[in-house]
Amino acid sequence: MNNEGSHTPFEHYDRQNSPFAPAAVHFQNPAAQAAEVNNAYDSTIHYTDEFFRRVVELLGDRPFIYFYVSDHGEYLGHDGMWGRAALGEQHVSYHSTGGCRVGMFVLYNESFAALNPHFAKALQQMRSNSGLTVAHEHIFHTLLGMFKL
């Protein structure tokens, strides 16, 4: 499953019921509308959270695992950077910034754990590393380890 998430121009949310307003969805000059851009971004996060909630609700008691990982980080004016680390006219290497560290989580239910006890054990072990930085290069061996490959 692929959801759009929080990509510029931050349009993927219900604008009629936006929890954060006013919101600007155009990214031509984000610093001039910093609060509105941040509100639009926060609304996309809220919408994505609701999407996850609806998926889990729809699946009910059927066994499922939902492994989510973001494709990249996004600067919203922190340290003067916007997007993927543009500092004014000077571009900063994206991989030298914290923006390349991405969010990840795993949801599963008890039905899944009962059918896949080795997965549940591996996921419990992942929790001990929840404070560590996650990057895309960690995903493949994590999944392979969970599948015992």
Side-chain angles (χ1 to χ4, degrees), residues 5 13 16 25 30 36 41 44-45 50 52 61 74 82 100-101 106 112-113 115-116 124 128 143 148:
Y13 64 94
Q16 301 300 318
V25 295
E36 291 86 356
Y41 178 81
T44 65
I45 297 294
E50 280 298 302
F52 296 140
D61 290 333
E74 193 78 41
W82 289 91
C100 69
R101 297 183 192 118
V106 180
F112 177 86
L115 290 172
N116 301 282
Q124 289 294 338
S128 67
L143 289 173
K148 292 187 171 187

Side-chain angles (χ1 to χ4, degrees), residues 65-100:
I65 185 168
Y66 195 117
F67 191 94
Y68 177 87
V69 61
S70 180
D71 60 345
H72 60 79
E74 193 78 41
Y75 282 96
L76 299 172
H78 302 90
D79 299 323
M81 293 186 280
W82 289 91
R84 294 191 202 148
L87 184 58
E89 293 299 315
Q90 174 189 3
H91 290 279
V92 178
S93 168
Y94 177 68
H95 292 288
S96 70
T97 71
C100 69

Side-chain angles (χ1 to χ4, degrees), residues 43 53 79 90 102:
S43 290
R53 185 194 60 74
D79 299 323
Q90 174 189 3
V102 298

